[in-house]
mmCIF file of all heavy atoms in Angstrom:
data_model
loop_
_atom_site.group_PDB
_atom_site.id
_atom_site.type_symbol
_atom_site.label_atom_id
_atom_site.label_comp_id
_atom_site.label_asym_id
_atom_site.label_seq_id
_atom_site.Cartn_x
_atom_site.Cartn_y
_atom_site.Cartn_z
ATOM 1 N N PHE P 116 26.954 41.781 2.167
ATOM 2 C CA PHE P 116 25.902 41.533 3.157
ATOM 3 C C PHE P 116 25.970 40.093 3.649
ATOM 4 O O PHE P 116 26.121 39.160 2.868
ATOM 5 C CB PHE P 116 24.529 41.814 2.543
ATOM 6 C CG PHE P 116 23.375 41.567 3.478
ATOM 7 C CD1 PHE P 116 22.956 42.551 4.348
ATOM 8 C CD2 PHE P 116 22.702 40.340 3.477
ATOM 9 C CE1 PHE P 116 21.887 42.329 5.204
ATOM 10 C CE2 PHE P 116 21.640 40.122 4.329
ATOM 11 C CZ PHE P 116 21.229 41.112 5.205
ATOM 12 N N LYS P 117 25.820 39.901 4.957
ATOM 13 C CA LYS P 117 25.825 38.580 5.567
ATOM 14 C C LYS P 117 24.515 38.335 6.310
ATOM 15 O O LYS P 117 23.968 39.243 6.939
ATOM 16 C CB LYS P 117 26.987 38.438 6.565
ATOM 17 C CG LYS P 117 28.367 38.645 5.944
ATOM 18 C CD LYS P 117 28.697 37.566 4.930
ATOM 19 C CE LYS P 117 30.106 37.748 4.388
ATOM 20 N NZ LYS P 117 30.441 36.732 3.347
ATOM 21 N N GLN P 118 24.030 37.118 6.217
ATOM 22 C CA GLN P 118 22.805 36.743 6.926
ATOM 23 C C GLN P 118 23.090 36.651 8.418
ATOM 24 O O GLN P 118 24.028 35.980 8.849
ATOM 25 C CB GLN P 118 22.288 35.399 6.407
ATOM 26 C CG GLN P 118 21.051 34.896 7.135
ATOM 27 C CD GLN P 118 20.543 33.584 6.568
ATOM 28 O OE1 GLN P 118 20.619 33.337 5.375
ATOM 29 N NE2 GLN P 118 20.018 32.729 7.432
ATOM 30 N N HIS P 119 22.249 37.324 9.215
ATOM 31 C CA HIS P 119 22.430 37.318 10.664
ATOM 32 C C HIS P 119 21.347 36.520 11.389
ATOM 33 O O HIS P 119 21.530 36.178 12.558
ATOM 34 C CB HIS P 119 22.440 38.759 11.192
ATOM 35 C CG HIS P 119 23.545 39.605 10.635
ATOM 36 N ND1 HIS P 119 24.866 39.380 10.924
ATOM 37 C CD2 HIS P 119 23.526 40.660 9.778
ATOM 38 C CE1 HIS P 119 25.619 40.270 10.303
ATOM 39 N NE2 HIS P 119 24.833 41.059 9.588
ATOM 40 N N LYS P 120 20.255 36.244 10.723
ATOM 41 C CA LYS P 120 19.165 35.493 11.337
ATOM 42 C C LYS P 120 19.242 34.026 10.935
ATOM 43 O O LYS P 120 19.627 33.696 9.821
ATOM 44 C CB LYS P 120 17.814 36.070 10.906
ATOM 45 C CG LYS P 120 17.559 37.491 11.358
ATOM 46 C CD LYS P 120 16.220 37.992 10.857
ATOM 47 C CE LYS P 120 15.079 37.166 11.406
ATOM 48 N NZ LYS P 120 13.760 37.691 10.983
ATOM 49 N N ASN P 121 18.860 33.156 11.864
ATOM 50 C CA ASN P 121 18.830 31.727 11.581
ATOM 51 C C ASN P 121 17.413 31.207 11.353
ATOM 52 O O ASN P 121 17.225 30.097 10.850
ATOM 53 C CB ASN P 121 19.470 30.936 12.722
ATOM 54 C CG ASN P 121 20.954 31.229 12.865
ATOM 55 O OD1 ASN P 121 21.649 31.379 11.858
ATOM 56 N ND2 ASN P 121 21.437 31.317 14.103
ATOM 57 N N LYS P 122 16.441 32.002 11.755
ATOM 58 C CA LYS P 122 15.054 31.586 11.614
ATOM 59 C C LYS P 122 14.250 32.690 10.956
ATOM 60 O O LYS P 122 14.508 33.884 11.180
ATOM 61 C CB LYS P 122 14.442 31.236 12.976
ATOM 62 C CG LYS P 122 15.075 30.016 13.637
ATOM 63 C CD LYS P 122 14.364 29.665 14.938
ATOM 64 C CE LYS P 122 14.954 28.416 15.570
ATOM 65 N NZ LYS P 122 14.248 28.043 16.817
ATOM 66 N N GLY P 123 13.268 32.275 10.144
ATOM 67 C CA GLY P 123 12.423 33.244 9.465
ATOM 68 C C GLY P 123 11.065 32.658 9.152
ATOM 69 O O GLY P 123 10.739 31.542 9.554
ATOM 70 N N ASP P 124 10.292 33.411 8.409
ATOM 71 C CA ASP P 124 8.925 32.978 8.083
ATOM 72 C C ASP P 124 8.647 33.137 6.592
ATOM 73 O O ASP P 124 7.551 33.514 6.190
ATOM 74 C CB ASP P 124 7.898 33.774 8.890
ATOM 75 C CG ASP P 124 7.993 35.279 8.642
ATOM 76 O OD1 ASP P 124 8.914 35.707 7.923
ATOM 77 O OD2 ASP P 124 7.137 36.013 9.160
ATOM 78 N N SER P 125 9.641 32.818 5.778
ATOM 79 C CA SER P 125 9.507 33.050 4.341
ATOM 80 C C SER P 125 8.617 32.014 3.651
ATOM 81 O O SER P 125 7.906 32.339 2.700
ATOM 82 C CB SER P 125 10.887 33.058 3.685
ATOM 83 O OG SER P 125 10.825 33.475 2.343
ATOM 84 N N PHE P 126 8.666 30.774 4.099
ATOM 85 C CA PHE P 126 7.917 29.694 3.445
ATOM 86 C C PHE P 126 6.659 29.375 4.264
ATOM 87 O O PHE P 126 6.747 29.026 5.438
ATOM 88 C CB PHE P 126 8.793 28.439 3.349
ATOM 89 C CG PHE P 126 8.184 27.328 2.539
ATOM 90 C CD1 PHE P 126 8.325 27.301 1.164
ATOM 91 C CD2 PHE P 126 7.468 26.317 3.148
ATOM 92 C CE1 PHE P 126 7.767 26.276 0.413
ATOM 93 C CE2 PHE P 126 6.910 25.292 2.406
ATOM 94 C CZ PHE P 126 7.061 25.275 1.036
ATOM 95 N N VAL P 127 5.470 29.505 3.678
ATOM 96 C CA VAL P 127 5.140 29.881 2.315
ATOM 97 C C VAL P 127 4.678 31.341 2.263
ATOM 98 O O VAL P 127 4.498 31.957 3.311
ATOM 99 C CB VAL P 127 4.002 29.003 1.742
ATOM 100 C CG1 VAL P 127 4.418 27.547 1.670
ATOM 101 C CG2 VAL P 127 2.736 29.115 2.599
#
Side-chain angles (χ1 to χ4, degrees):
F116 179 86
K117 301 295 183 182
Q118 177 178 325
H119 299 293
K120 296 178 62 177
N121 295 321
K122 294 184 178 182
D124 59 355
S125 189
F126 187 85
V127 297

